[in-house]
Amino acid sequence: MDFGAQPSAPLDRNEKFARLRLIRSENVGPITFRQLIARCGSAIAALDHIPHMARRGGLSRQIRICSTDAAETEMQAARKLGARLLFWGEADYPSGLAAVDDSPPLIYVRGHPHLLQKPMLAIVGARNASTVGRKIAGDIARDLGQAGYVVVSGLARGIDGAAHAASLATGTAAVLAGGVDVVYPREHQTLYDQILESGVHVAELPPGIEPQARHFPRRNRIISGLSRGVLVVEANLQSGSLITARCAADQGREVFAIPGSPLDARALGPNRLIRDGALLTESAADILAALQSLDNRRIREPQGHGGISAPPAALPDSLLEEAHDIVTELLGPVPAGIDDLIRESGLLPAAVLTVLLDLELAGRAERHSGNRVSRLPD
Amino acid sequence: MDFGAQPSAPLDRNEKFARLRLIRSENVGPITFRQLIARCGSAIAALDHIPHMARRGGLSRQIRICSTDAAETEMQAARKLGARLLFWGEADYPSGLAAVDDSPPLIYVRGHPHLLQKPMLAIVGARNASTVGRKIAGDIARDLGQAGYVVVSGLARGIDGAAHAASLATGTAAVLAGGVDVVYPREHQTLYDQILESGVHVAELPPGIEPQARHFPRRNRIISGLSRGVLVVEANLQSGSLITARCAADQGREVFAIPGSPLDARALGPNRLIRDGALLTESAADILAALQSLDNRRIREPQGHGGISAPPAALPDSLLEEAHDIVTELLGPVPAGIDDLIRESGLLPAAVLTVLLDLELAGRAERHSGNRVSRLPD
């Protein structure tokens, strides 16, 4: 499979260190990170520029940049764990994840990183899974493993656990919501250790971070981003698995779902997905057949448009000041498409993009997937 | 809902009697019946013509026409039961059933015929239904009844029985594979009596006929033909319910299916239907919403093309003889499209249609739905 072209220049030690500092700096998220690399050419240069940009964006105090000490401490923690850092843009960063528009600028990897080079498929579902649901998840995980797929999941109770356990022998990847060394839930310590032994752990957050509720949706985009498709086995209508399925669809990946009786609340999630276009799935063979038929085509384009648009390096300050006022005026709390914003502003695209980057760094605007942006309260 | 225009001239007693005799005559099936009415103008005239036509088609002996005695006996049996005969072409023949290309020339009705004028929906499924399946069928039948639908089914054990029982209060129609007075299965005698009391029984075959295996697929086309849609609740992959669903699709009706776990063989039928385009259904609300959205459009055209094409009354005998040889030569045991046959023959369409009718009456050709025809062994 080919997820499309992506940059993969080798990064030297200094640039990696600067990238770690950049993503840990104030108001820099994954999309802003990419914009800054595209605009400034490197993280080293971006670290130099962002104080000025944030001030221009309206931040009255100095923007907080991650210190070299803090970055050094984080790197040391990773070394102690034997965890590898993979940076977006490096050749061994997983290609599926690299192709999504808000891929993590870096991920921590513990265990066997080479597994991330193989084709991957996610299996997710209810924590309070039924016996039958766990059996189905396990059967399909084993069959996908035998067909050469690494099975991705989230180390949760229920479906996740069953999927990991059944694919230990063939290769499994756990994407953690907290640090790569933080076992959640605690009772999965043994499973975590088994995956460390024969599989791979992946995390976006620094080592030692305990997962919090808000981390899980962000984590779910990585589960789907790594994978050619996501299978949802059991999920009620409030389940986070439906978020993972939506991420998959947004990222142009396949969504598979196991149907179930309408009288079982855990079937309502998959049933809804099927109604919305997910592939009704009864076995690994269904998944393999669908992926096979995709292999003859290119992977679908993601539904978002969020590629990198690099603004030119320099625009006159007077023009930027005027643009700043117009764009600030147009932005509201509801995310708006950047293309619409450019059209309504009547400004040069480059000017709008520069102003947006400034506003983001000033903490006054927020990027959303699908190339949208909203204003944050002052 | 509007199933499209259909003939509805009042029929006098003699013509009804002739129609009964015509459909009970040798080699006359529902499609041939309609062709004969269209060609000859009435069943009375058709009874006069078919001996000559059958001979022209190659039958060496006299075609067997239903005697007036036999027809009189059948009518008397119906009278004794208090069963009504509804003839295709009459105003109170159910409009949905009238619209299909092989609708029965007559049906027997016992109970409350006025129910056949209301919108109808079929619920069918496994005889060895699960408790959950029976509950779902009953819940949906009751809700559809309260929404004004008559629930149609086949009086079988399992899903059928649950659907009938739950809709006794609002109106239910049982379509029987044998005679309208023959209770099958026997253990449903009480249910049969309850339906007689408050619902309606429908049958194509004469009173007293015990149902045989070959009768059920023919019966299933009536279940779907009466209905705006067919809901399949549980069905293994060999189930007759899948035949009913296919009839529905062929007739341009909606197919609804309740999903279930891949580990339950009874879910494999509905799951396959969903994969093939049936609407994944969890409640009566899903069905009502889908039908509502159809109400703004005309009902879909049936997938077959089998309307009545009336050949002109007379063609020169020399032309028909030549056409007879050509068409006989072209026909094989595999059903072929009549349009293709006309094109390949190079003959006038009227000549081909006349020859086909002759061959059917001679028992040398067989009509199939979708305007197809095959040759029968001599």
Side-chain angles (χ1 to χ4, degrees):
Chain A
M1 186 190 41
D2 178 13
F3 279 101
Q6 45 165 315
S8 68
L11 303 175
D12 70 18
R13 204 203 162 287
N14 290 339
E15 174 63 11
K16 286 185 187 177
F17 192 72
R19 287 192 173 205
L20 173 58
R21 288 180 65 205
L22 184 59
I23 189 60
R24 300 285 180 254
S25 294
E26 190 180 8
N27 297 332
V28 179
I31 299 177
T32 313
F33 177 92
R34 280 216 218 175
Q35 295 277 341
L36 286 168
I37 298 289
R39 166 161 187 156
C40 306
S42 69
I44 295 170
L47 287 173
D48 281 345
H49 281 89
I50 59 175
H52 172 64
M53 294 167 76
R55 216 171 303 121
R56 204 169 51 187
L59 191 64
S60 50
R61 55 168 177 76
Q62 190 76 4
I63 188 172
R64 281 190 292 272
I65 291 183
C66 171
S67 69
T68 52
D69 275 4
E72 192 50 63
T73 306
E74 186 175 330
M75 280 221 164
Q76 222 139 24
R79 261 194 299 272
K80 236 164 86 178
L81 290 170
R84 266 191 69 186
L85 273 83
L86 292 181
F87 289 86
W88 179 80
E90 288 189 296
D92 44 5
Y93 188 96
S95 61
L97 188 57
V100 311
D101 66 359
D102 59 349
S103 43
L106 61 89
I107 52 174
Y108 285 93
V109 178
R110 232 184 145 191
H112 299 272
H114 75 90
L115 291 172
L116 301 175
Q117 304 305 318
K118 296 180 71 177
M120 312 184 93
L121 205 119
I123 300 179
V124 297
R127 287 191 298 273
N128 66 338
S130 70
T131 308
V132 161
R134 293 176 56 95
K135 173 167 167 41
I136 291 173
D139 287 351
I140 295 184
R142 189 171 40 252
D143 292 348
L144 288 176
Q146 276 161 9
Y149 279 85
V150 169
V151 172
V152 185
S153 197
L155 200 72
R157 279 184 284 268
I159 298 301
D160 287 26
H164 285 306
S167 54
L168 281 170
T170 49
T172 196
V175 184
L176 308 169
V180 75
D181 56 334
V182 178
V183 180
Y184 180 88
R186 283 280 165 230
E187 73 229 54
H188 272 178
Q189 180 70 55
T190 304
L191 181 60
Y192 178 96
D193 292 340
Q194 291 170 321
I195 295 173
L196 194 58
E197 188 73 28
S198 67
V200 62
H201 290 290
V202 174
E204 181 176 18
L205 294 182
I209 299 285
E210 290 287 334
Q212 294 171 27
R214 67 190 159 87
H215 293 148
F216 287 87
R218 303 285 301 153
R219 186 275 306 266
N220 292 350
R221 89 188 195 285
I222 303 177
I223 291 179
S224 56
L226 286 168
S227 307
R228 298 197 57 186
V230 170
L231 171 67
V232 179
V233 177
E234 286 183 333
N236 65 34
L237 292 176
Q238 287 73 45
S239 168
S241 302
L242 300 191
I243 296 177
T244 312
R246 203 179 55 218
C247 288
D250 288 346
Q251 294 164 352
R253 312 301 161 86
E254 291 303 307
V255 180
F256 303 93
I258 306 282
S261 167
L263 296 191
D264 182 352
R266 290 171 293 214
L268 300 186
N271 286 354
R272 173 177 289 180
L273 291 174
I274 292 167
R275 238 190 301 224
D276 291 347
L279 209 97
L280 187 152
T281 302
E282 295 181 319
S283 66
D286 292 338
I287 295 172
L288 295 170
L291 295 178
Q292 187 75 46
S293 87
L294 279 176
D295 273 343
N296 298 333
R297 323 178 238 150
R298 281 270 281 120
I299 194 147
R300 287 184 302 168
E301 288 301 315
Q303 288 172 16
H305 311 82
I308 298 178
S309 2
L315 287 166
D317 270 2
S318 60
L319 190 151
L320 283 180
E321 272 171 40
E322 191 201 341
H324 179 99
D325 293 344
I326 295 174
V327 170
T328 311
E329 181 72 28
L330 285 174
L331 274 183
V334 178
I338 292 180
D339 292 345
D340 295 336
L341 203 62
I342 291 171
R343 205 181 46 246
E344 287 176 29
S345 71
L347 296 166
L348 288 174
V352 174
L353 294 174
T354 302
V355 167
L356 287 179
L357 202 43
D358 292 350
L359 289 172
E360 286 164 64
L361 289 170
R364 297 177 63 195
E366 188 181 11
R367 281 275 183 167
H368 304 269
S369 67
N371 214 23
R372 293 169 309 136
V373 68
S374 68
R375 183 164 182 178
L376 291 174
D378 289 332
Chain B
M1 184 191 40
D2 177 13
F3 280 100
Q6 46 165 315
S8 68
L11 303 175
D12 71 17
R13 202 204 163 285
N14 290 340
E15 173 63 12
K16 287 185 186 177
F17 192 72
R19 287 192 173 207
L20 173 58
R21 288 181 65 205
L22 184 59
I23 190 60
R24 300 285 180 254
S25 294
E26 190 180 7
N27 297 331
V28 179
I31 298 178
T32 313
F33 177 93
R34 281 217 218 173
Q35 296 276 342
L36 286 168
I37 298 290
R39 166 162 188 155
C40 305
S42 69
I44 295 170
L47 288 172
D48 280 347
H49 282 89
I50 58 174
H52 172 63
M53 293 168 76
R55 216 171 302 121
R56 205 168 51 187
L59 191 64
S60 52
R61 54 169 176 76
Q62 191 77 2
I63 188 172
R64 280 190 292 269
I65 292 182
C66 170
S67 70
T68 53
D69 275 4
E72 193 49 63
T73 305
E74 185 176 330
M75 281 220 162
Q76 220 138 24
R79 261 194 298 273
K80 236 164 87 178
L81 290 170
R84 267 192 67 187
L85 272 83
L86 291 181
F87 288 85
W88 179 79
E90 288 189 296
D92 43 6
Y93 188 97
S95 62
L97 189 58
V100 311
D101 67 359
D102 59 350
S103 42
L106 61 89
I107 53 175
Y108 285 93
V109 177
R110 234 186 144 188
H112 300 271
H114 74 90
L115 291 173
L116 301 176
Q117 304 304 318
K118 296 181 71 177
M120 311 183 93
L121 205 118
I123 300 179
V124 298
R127 286 190 300 273
N128 65 337
S130 71
T131 308
V132 161
R134 293 176 57 95
K135 173 167 167 41
I136 291 173
D139 287 351
I140 294 184
R142 189 172 39 252
D143 292 347
L144 288 175
Q146 276 159 11
Y149 279 84
V150 168
V151 171
V152 185
S153 197
L155 201 71
R157 278 184 284 268
I159 297 301
D160 288 25
H164 285 306
S167 55
L168 282 170
T170 49
T172 196
V175 183
L176 307 169
V180 75
D181 57 334
V182 178
V183 181
Y184 180 87
R186 283 280 166 230
E187 71 229 56
H188 273 178
Q189 180 69 54
T190 304
L191 181 60
Y192 178 96
D193 292 339
Q194 291 170 322
I195 295 173
L196 193 59
E197 188 73 28
S198 67
V200 62
H201 291 290
V202 174
E204 182 176 18
L205 295 182
I209 299 286
E210 290 288 334
Q212 294 171 26
R214 68 190 159 86
H215 293 147
F216 288 88
R218 303 286 301 153
R219 185 275 307 267
N220 293 349
R221 89 189 197 284
I222 303 177
I223 291 180
S224 56
L226 286 168
S227 307
R228 297 198 58 188
V230 170
L231 171 67
V232 178
V233 177
E234 287 183 333
N236 64 35
L237 292 176
Q238 286 74 44
S239 168
S241 302
L242 300 191
I243 296 177
T244 312
R246 202 178 56 217
C247 289
D250 287 346
Q251 293 164 353
R253 313 301 160 86
E254 292 301 310
V255 180
F256 303 94
I258 306 282
S261 167
L263 296 191
D264 182 352
R266 289 171 295 213
L268 300 187
N271 287 353
R272 173 178 289 181
L273 291 174
I274 292 167
R275 238 191 300 225
D276 292 348
L279 209 97
L280 186 152
T281 301
E282 295 180 321
S283 66
D286 292 337
I287 295 172
L288 295 170
L291 295 178
Q292 187 75 47
S293 87
L294 278 176
D295 273 343
N296 298 333
R297 323 178 237 147
R298 282 271 279 118
I299 194 149
R300 288 183 301 168
E301 288 301 315
Q303 288 171 18
H305 310 82
I308 296 178
S309 4
L315 288 164
D317 270 3
S318 59
L319 189 151
L320 283 180
E321 270 171 43
E322 189 201 343
H324 178 98
D325 293 344
I326 295 174
V327 170
T328 311
E329 180 72 28
L330 285 174
L331 274 182
V334 178
I338 291 179
D339 292 345
D340 294 338
L341 203 62
I342 291 172
R343 205 180 47 247
E344 286 176 29
S345 71
L347 296 166
L348 288 174
V352 174
L353 295 173
T354 302
V355 167
L356 287 178
L357 201 44
D358 292 350
L359 288 172
E360 285 164 67
L361 288 169
R364 297 177 62 194
E366 188 180 12
R367 281 275 184 169
H368 304 269
S369 68
N371 214 21
R372 293 169 308 135
V373 67
S374 68
R375 183 165 182 178
L376 291 173
D378 291 331

